[in-house]
Amino acid sequence: MNKLDLQRAVSEAAQHIGTPTKAFAELITEMVEPQHVTFDVFRQFLPVRTLNKGDTLSRKARRGRYKGRTMVPGAQHLTDATYFQSQFTYTMQQLIAGTHLNLLEVRGGELGTLEEIKSAVRSDLIDDAVSKIFNLMTTVWTASNTPAHYIDASSTGLTQTSLDVGLETVLESVGSAKAIIGTRKALLPLYKFSGFVDVLLANGTTRQALPLNEVLLEYWSTGKVSSYVGVPIIDIPQISANTLPTLSRKLIRDDIVLIVGEDAGQIIQYAEFEEQEHIDTSKQPADYQYHTWNSWGVLVDRPEGVVVIKTAP
């Protein structure tokens, strides 16, 4: 059955189900959509590659340097073997989401049109993909595999000292920092201390925090700060599961701040959603069922360009 035949079948079945809608007590439902995030979050600090099925995923290998030696005329000089260094972490995952509703609900329209329902399923699937990718990036480094790129500030929360150390680690490793990333809860201390700079007064002993008026004005006007020492700050909106039994369960970690440097990796997104829809007539009234799926992934092939700061226990 093609898409047009399916839509026609759903419409015809819905027209002949049970008692007309006007016989029921009318309850008007205003649908409130949950907050959504998109891959635009990642585009600010990592390239997002769109692939088609069968495309090749590439990663970087870095050539070692050839050593320069003092030349001695007439001597046989040493040569160096060509070698390459490759260090990377990656994950690819296929996610699927689906829904079903009986044709009474289709006819009543309380949950929206079929196109609205399918769009909502795809949006929620993207939410899950974005949250999984961010949460995976927070595990690139741990306290056990490199203390230099993992900073444990769980006892104090994010501080200016821990952030400055992380930034210097990224700058020393890859030359530039693209972004500081986290949820609002994780970044809130940064918003507050970024409006001041600590200076040593002329007497050589007294230190004083001087206000940065532009930063303070931005924070009090918008509730956020857009950059810290020239590095963009990306505040990722928190999204909740909105499912029982814990409706407010958070999907994005709010105990981690990431500092991502230049050319640290890439996000992979496949171009097309695949979908399947059909009518299940084993129930009365029949059920309309819809599934959609796609694949996403993250490839970090320059992990030294990432610093993980843990900001809470």
Side-chain angles (χ1 to χ4, degrees):
M1 179 182 290
N2 60 35
K3 185 175 182 179
L4 182 60
D5 291 337
L6 177 67
Q7 291 176 339
R8 186 180 295 115
V10 171
S11 299
E12 291 177 354
Q15 291 174 2
H16 299 91
I17 295 176
T19 310
T21 305
K22 62 183 180 182
F24 294 93
E26 186 174 4
L27 175 64
I28 298 175
T29 303
E30 181 180 355
M31 190 66 64
V32 179
E33 279 289 305
Q35 184 164 252
H36 293 296
V37 292
T38 69
F39 278 82
D40 289 338
V41 167
F42 296 120
R43 287 188 173 91
Q44 300 175 72
F45 60 93
L46 284 178
V48 178
R49 287 186 60 196
T50 301
L51 300 181
N52 295 310
K53 300 297 182 182
D55 286 352
T56 301
L57 179 61
S58 61
R59 61 182 175 85
K60 303 178 186 71
R62 288 169 180 79
R63 176 183 57 79
R65 291 186 179 275
Y66 297 112
K67 185 177 180 180
R69 297 179 174 86
T70 301
M71 180 177 178
V72 180
Q76 183 177 1
H77 295 87
L78 297 175
T79 60
D80 295 299
T82 302
Y83 70 93
F84 297 91
Q85 178 183 355
S86 180
Q87 183 181 20
F88 67 99
T89 179
Y90 75 97
T91 182
M92 298 294 295
Q93 188 170 27
Q94 191 170 53
L95 299 177
I96 186 170
T99 187
H100 69 92
L101 58 158
N102 67 57
L103 293 181
L104 279 175
E105 295 172 315
V106 174
R107 183 190 181 205
E110 293 92 347
L111 303 180
T113 66
L114 288 182
E115 287 304 318
E116 289 172 340
I117 292 169
K118 290 192 285 187
S119 176
V121 173
R122 289 192 292 267
S123 294
D124 289 351
L125 192 61
I126 292 174
D127 285 345
D128 278 340
V130 171
S131 65
K132 285 178 181 293
I133 288 174
F134 176 79
N135 293 341
L136 284 167
M137 288 189 66
T138 66
T139 64
V140 169
W141 296 118
T142 65
S144 60
N145 57 26
T146 173
H149 287 74
Y150 181 89
I151 300 172
D152 187 353
S154 57
S155 61
T156 61
L158 183 65
T159 64
Q160 189 167 13
T161 299
S162 60
L163 185 60
D164 288 347
V165 169
L167 279 171
E168 288 303 317
T169 300
V170 168
L171 293 174
E172 182 180 0
S173 300
V174 298
S176 64
K178 291 281 288 186
I180 301 166
I181 311 108
T183 63
R184 177 173 180 81
K185 181 177 179 180
L187 293 172
L188 188 57
L190 166 59
Y191 293 154
K192 295 182 177 180
F193 66 65
S194 62
F196 300 88
V197 59
D198 183 52
V199 298
L200 182 64
L201 299 184
N203 60 21
T205 57
T206 305
R207 306 193 69 88
Q208 183 171 336
L210 297 182
L212 302 173
N213 292 334
E214 290 184 1
V215 177
L216 291 174
L217 181 61
E218 180 183 16
Y219 175 67
W220 287 108
S221 299
T222 66
K224 298 180 180 180
V225 176
S226 58
S227 66
Y228 176 73
V229 294
V231 179
I233 299 171
I234 299 175
D235 188 328
I236 299 181
Q238 182 60 267
I239 51 178
S240 300
N242 277 7
T243 55
L244 294 172
T246 309
L247 292 175
S248 59
R249 179 173 61 86
K250 297 173 182 177
L251 297 183
I252 297 178
R253 292 185 64 176
D254 57 11
D255 63 337
I256 292 289
V257 170
L258 289 178
I259 304 174
V260 178
E262 186 73 34
D263 201 22
Q266 57 188 301
I267 306 297
I268 310 302
Q269 178 183 15
Y270 281 90
E272 298 295 332
F273 280 88
E274 298 185 60
E275 58 182 18
Q276 174 183 297
E277 52 187 340
H278 70 278
I279 298 176
D280 179 7
T281 57
S282 64
K283 301 178 181 179
Q284 295 75 41
D287 261 4
Y288 168 77
Q289 297 192 9
Y290 172 76
H291 284 90
T292 185
W293 59 92
N294 204 341
S295 297
W296 293 272
V298 57
L299 170 66
V300 180
D301 52 6
R302 204 178 184 186
E304 64 271 24
V306 178
V307 164
V308 178
I309 304 177
K310 184 168 177 56
T311 61

